[in-house]
């Protein structure tokens, strides 16, 4: 951030806004009420929960998911 150190001055803005962050579809997002367990091989499994889907074909709004992650 930068700007004038004097009071009552107009704000400054970048000529171009920054690019939006990329979405990582290789890891699950934050979920509530999901089920997790570790199998005998030490792999962590995650099923379901309430949150946002990583599927680009699902409308971006929180919902109950049926996704399975290892």
């Amino acid at each position: 951030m930068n700007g004038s150190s004097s009071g009552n001055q107009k704000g400054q803005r970048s000529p171009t806004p920054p690019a939006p962050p990329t979405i990582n579809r290789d890891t699950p997002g934050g979920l509530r009420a999901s089920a997790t367990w570790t199998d005998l091989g030490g792999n962590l499994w995650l099923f379901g929960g309430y949150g946002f889907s990583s599927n680009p074909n699902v409308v971006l709004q929180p919902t109950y998911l049926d996704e399975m992650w290892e």
Side-chain angles (χ1 to χ4, degrees), residues 46-69:
L46 171 75
F47 176 75
Y50 185 80
F52 294 96
S53 175
S54 65
N55 184 340
N57 299 318
V58 175
V59 177
L60 188 59
Q61 62 183 358
T63 186
Y64 286 99
L65 304 171
D66 60 356
E67 299 176 339
M68 172 94 66
W69 295 86

Side-chain angles (χ1 to χ4, degrees), residues 13-42:
R13 191 181 116 164
S14 301
T16 57
T22 58
I23 298 173
N24 181 353
R25 300 201 186 279
D26 295 327
T27 58
L31 298 169
R32 291 186 291 166
S34 59
T36 62
W37 65 95
T38 304
D39 64 19
L40 296 176

